[in-house]
Amino acid sequence: MSMNRAVAIVGPDGKLLQPNLIFDKLFGDDEILDRINRDAYANNGKTDCQITLSDGRTLWVETIPMDDGWLVSAYDMTERSAKAHTDTLTKLGNRLMFHEHLTKLLDNPDRAAEGAAILVIDLSRFKAINESLGRNIGSALLGSVAGRIRSALGSGDMVARLGGDKFGVIQAGQLQPHSAAALADRLVDSIGRSHLVDGHLIDITASVGIVLLPTGANDCELLLNHADLALHRAKGDGHGTYRFFEKGMDEEIQSRRQLESDLRRALALSEFSLVYQPQFNLRLNKVTGFEALLRWQSPTRGAVSPLEFIPVAEDIGIITSIGEWVLRAACLEAAAWPGLHTVSVNVSAIQFKNPNFVETVMSVLGESGLDPRRLELEITESVMLDAGGTAFAMLQSLRKIGVCVALDDFGTGYSSMRYLQSFPFNRIKIDQSFVRGTSNEAVGRAIVRAVASIGQSLGMATVAEGVETEEQMARIASDGCTDVQGYLISRPMPPEQIGNFLLLQNDSIHRNTSESHASPEPPFCRPFF
């Protein structure tokens, strides 16, 4: 037996007979020996247990029965226990320590009743930062965040890293809910300030979910689940905020899970369909293309808004499959339209992260027989931001095969001008928030004029979205936009109505422009290569 252990023989009467020096040093308290003896008597001399001393040390004690008494063997596992309870990356407590502290709090109703709260903290965009800058930077960032959390806590608060980029705090003995709200404010503010990590200036925000004690829940995992529900609400309301758990949140999460299930079934059972909204060229005085818009008619929910189900599809990872279906269906249907009208398809940042996206587009074009010049992919600034350096290479590849690319929702992001400078888009789509104002709203109109001027200078068409009135149409035309889209031209229509719509439109154009003999150019996007 290792001589690093405390060893002693104890007689049948519980008296210490032959201790070694380590035993004498380790067990200076008769109460500890009395406890060991009680356990040994109760178990016929054989025990195996962990004992925590009054000074905080943790011992592992084993007793083995002998003819006259028992052999006691023990060793100090304080350091090993500390390692088992410590997160090696951040040097904070880990999930095991968090559970043990929370269990002790729940086992002491009087202390919990004094005012306690559990806070769960989650970081935004950490995964993207970790992937783009590397794990070493990601680990260093977590260390920086851990330091800021620790500095925001009070003397009686306990913090642990629960895993990944999630942290947990137990706040006890404070007036609630004010103390928890004040701590959450400090955490959001501190974590949200720029972090300098190995020469990189990184901005990241935190969301916080809070559950207060005492509560009807007395189970650690259930309390953490409640805190996660509050965290989910905080993230849904916009990163960089906090929310307290409310009873109705449990019903909301059940509703969300049902929506996820229904959405997966909708993809499997082909419950999706496309409608198309015309895009009108002001210079040619005709419809030159259509934007494909996704619709979901659920047998149980009825018509479900894309604003409701698209974010969920992105969260659960099926947006790539849905996006590929949309692309395939739009190209197949557009190939059957009369004339050379283009079809615009929205592409998410998640789709662009797929390294096989360009191959998918080429496969769809080959299968449908659609001329690549008739396909326009609409992307938002988030594609350029989230896909990193690969986005530009993929866009260049798409342009080389003839596919047009439009920058959607222009003016609503942070770096749109930089992206116009970096990549030659075919078209810029001006967000409807700048279009639907009255003629007296000088700022919105100035923005529209500026974008139209930029587009003209760069050789890019400009599409004004959300045009609903003749007054808006006249204003957009005078401001220099080349195309419009909105209810004034037409509401979105199913594919079977497009033929008649184009026939009626052509008749109208011939009646209104019979004096003109100009032959309009094809509505393809102009190539830049």
Side-chain angles (χ1 to χ4, degrees):
M1 185 173 294
S2 171
M3 286 300 99
N4 290 325
R5 288 175 176 256
V7 180
I9 295 175
V10 177
D13 55 359
K15 290 185 177 180
L16 190 63
L17 299 179
Q18 295 181 19
N20 67 359
L21 292 176
I22 298 178
F23 192 96
D24 285 335
K25 181 178 180 181
L26 203 59
F27 292 95
D29 190 340
D30 288 339
E31 286 189 13
I32 300 298
L33 183 58
D34 290 342
R35 175 178 172 181
I36 294 172
N37 288 336
R38 285 196 301 271
D39 290 342
Y41 278 123
N43 294 279
N44 298 318
K46 183 172 180 60
T47 62
D48 199 10
C49 63
Q50 177 179 310
I51 295 177
T52 301
L53 304 183
S54 58
D55 60 6
R57 288 181 297 157
T58 302
L59 307 180
W60 190 264
V61 180
E62 181 181 8
T63 61
I64 302 172
M66 301 177 64
D67 291 339
D68 293 314
W70 44 85
L71 175 71
V72 179
S73 171
Y75 66 90
D76 191 337
M77 58 176 294
T78 305
E79 184 177 349
R80 183 182 301 181
S81 178
K83 289 181 178 178
H85 290 76
T86 303
D87 175 61
T88 56
L89 178 63
T90 62
K91 309 306 178 186
L92 300 177
N94 59 14
R95 195 177 187 93
L96 176 61
M97 178 179 281
F98 190 87
H99 270 249
E100 291 184 358
H101 273 71
L102 185 53
T103 299
K104 289 180 181 178
L105 183 62
L106 294 174
D107 289 343
N108 188 344
D110 293 338
R111 186 161 181 248
E114 293 175 359
I118 301 168
L119 296 86
V120 174
I121 307 147
D122 186 73
L123 309 179
S124 67
R125 294 182 56 245
F126 176 76
K127 184 179 179 181
I129 292 170
N130 202 38
E131 290 176 351
S132 60
L133 298 180
R135 291 189 176 182
N136 289 339
I137 299 296
S139 297
L141 176 61
L142 287 177
S144 175
V145 170
R148 295 191 186 185
I149 293 176
R150 191 186 289 110
S151 66
L153 302 184
S155 58
D157 300 337
M158 178 266 172
V159 58
R161 181 185 175 210
L162 302 180
D165 60 339
K166 183 179 288 187
F167 299 84
V169 173
I170 298 175
Q171 185 185 59
Q174 301 289 329
L175 183 64
Q176 300 297 354
H178 308 291
S179 296
L183 175 56
D185 268 328
R186 292 198 301 272
L187 291 168
V188 168
D189 175 68
S190 178
I191 296 172
R193 299 186 182 188
S194 298
H195 299 254
L196 184 60
V197 181
D198 290 350
H200 297 273
L201 195 62
I202 301 175
D203 290 319
I204 198 164
T205 56
S207 300
V208 183
I210 308 171
V211 60
L212 298 176
L213 278 70
T215 177
N218 57 1
D219 176 81
C220 291
E221 287 300 331
L222 184 57
L223 285 168
L224 282 174
N225 181 55
H226 287 172
D228 281 338
L229 293 177
L231 175 64
H232 181 78
R233 168 69 67 83
K235 293 165 70 174
D237 290 347
H239 293 285
T241 187
Y242 65 88
R243 292 292 180 266
F244 284 89
F245 170 75
E246 300 169 1
K247 289 183 178 180
M249 290 180 179
D250 197 29
E251 297 177 3
E252 287 183 19
I253 203 66
Q254 294 300 327
S255 176
R256 159 70 181 236
R257 287 172 180 161
Q258 186 59 52
L259 177 59
E260 292 176 2
S261 176
D262 291 349
L263 197 51
R264 294 182 190 277
R265 188 182 66 242
L267 179 61
L269 299 181
S270 302
E271 294 176 2
F272 296 114
S273 63
L274 295 179
V275 293
Y276 297 88
Q277 187 166 39
Q279 296 173 329
F280 189 84
N281 185 284
L282 294 169
R283 295 174 183 175
L284 299 177
N285 194 34
K286 64 180 294 186
V287 169
T288 55
F290 296 82
E291 179 181 0
L293 303 171
L294 182 62
R295 295 292 182 264
W296 176 23
Q297 185 69 30
S298 168
T300 55
R301 298 172 178 270
V304 186
S305 168
L307 295 177
E308 180 180 357
F309 71 80
I310 290 295
V312 177
E314 292 178 338
D315 286 346
I316 64 177
I318 65 171
I319 190 63
T320 299
S321 298
I322 294 176
E324 184 174 338
W325 178 88
V326 170
L327 179 65
R328 194 173 303 276
C331 289
L332 285 169
E333 290 174 350
W337 295 344
L340 300 173
H341 299 83
T342 60
V343 60
S344 298
V345 178
N346 291 277
V347 180
S348 74
I350 296 175
Q351 286 176 268
F352 251 78
K353 288 183 179 179
N354 184 347
N356 298 320
F357 179 69
V358 175
E359 287 76 8
T360 298
V361 173
M362 294 175 66
S363 173
V364 168
L365 289 171
E367 177 185 339
S368 64
L370 185 72
D371 187 323
R373 295 176 297 170
R374 292 181 58 195
L375 174 63
E376 179 180 72
L377 300 180
E378 296 188 8
I379 67 170
T380 61
E381 179 185 327
S382 61
V383 169
M384 316 296 286
L385 183 66
D386 293 344
T390 61
F392 290 100
M394 293 176 72
L395 289 172
Q396 294 283 8
S397 297
L398 290 167
R399 289 292 303 273
K400 286 179 181 178
I401 64 175
V403 173
C404 305
V405 182
L407 183 60
D408 196 13
D409 295 338
F410 185 84
T412 60
Y414 296 101
S415 307
S416 298
M417 294 296 293
R418 179 166 62 87
Y419 296 132
L420 289 183
Q421 184 181 22
S422 303
F423 182 80
F425 292 92
N426 295 95
R427 298 206 292 183
I428 310 168
K429 299 196 75 175
I430 304 173
D431 187 72
Q432 61 186 13
S433 60
F434 301 113
V435 173
R436 289 182 175 174
T438 66
S439 57
N440 294 325
E441 293 185 347
V443 174
R445 186 165 187 181
I447 291 173
V448 172
R449 283 176 176 168
V451 175
S453 176
I454 291 171
Q456 184 177 10
S457 299
L458 298 176
M460 302 177 188
T462 47
V463 186
E465 298 182 288
V467 176
E468 297 181 341
T469 66
E470 293 286 355
E471 188 271 339
Q472 290 171 357
M473 172 81 97
R475 191 155 40 87
I476 290 301
S478 66
D479 289 341
C481 292
T482 61
D483 298 82
V484 296
Q485 180 178 338
Y487 285 177
L488 180 64
I489 306 303
S490 173
R491 290 179 176 270
M493 66 188 74
E496 60 269 18
Q497 294 182 7
I498 288 179
N500 286 335
F501 173 81
L502 291 174
L503 184 63
L504 291 173
Q505 193 221 20
N506 287 337
D507 288 344
S508 175
I509 291 174
H510 287 310
R511 286 195 301 271
N512 294 334
T513 61
S514 57
E515 71 281 0
S516 173
H517 300 288
S519 177
E521 61 186 79
F524 293 141
C525 295
R526 288 179 293 165
F528 284 85
F529 301 116

